[in-house]
Amino acid sequence: MIRLPNKLYTYKESTLALFPPIMEALETGSMPVLDLREAVREHVPSATDFIEALSLLLALGSLNLNDDEGTVEHAR
């Protein structure tokens, strides 16, 4: 379930708070999804939350997914 900030969830408890660690990990360039997962595990401990955050970033056009290589990168 994607959690957005509202009366029940603060920003820190929301899925949006997971965006900065993911985007910062991709500053160096594209990387395989599994490597990205390991890079942000400390900030995003739940695999479900990680997938939800990636899904939102892809839907917003902030990330590009390379199906052939299995990598994600900043959408510049």
Side-chain angles (χ1 to χ4, degrees):
M1 176 179 83
I2 296 172
R3 295 178 315 275
L4 297 174
N6 59 33
K7 291 180 181 180
L8 299 176
Y9 300 109
T10 66
Y11 171 79
K12 288 184 178 185
E13 297 170 325
S14 75
T15 305
L16 300 180
L18 306 178
F19 290 3
I22 291 172
M23 298 303 282
E24 287 171 12
L26 292 170
E27 287 291 325
T28 58
S30 66
M31 65 173 55
V33 176
L34 185 57
D35 292 350
L36 177 60
R37 172 75 183 116
E38 290 302 318
V40 300
R41 184 180 295 272
E42 181 181 321
H43 302 285
V44 188
S46 164
T48 303
D49 290 343
F50 174 73
I51 292 169
E52 289 175 354
L54 276 187
S55 297
L56 280 176
L57 287 166
L58 286 165
L60 292 169
S62 297
L63 294 180
N64 288 330
L65 176 63
N66 184 328
D67 292 332
D68 297 330
E69 296 178 13
T71 60
V72 290
E73 64 185 2
H74 274 283
R76 302 195 192 260

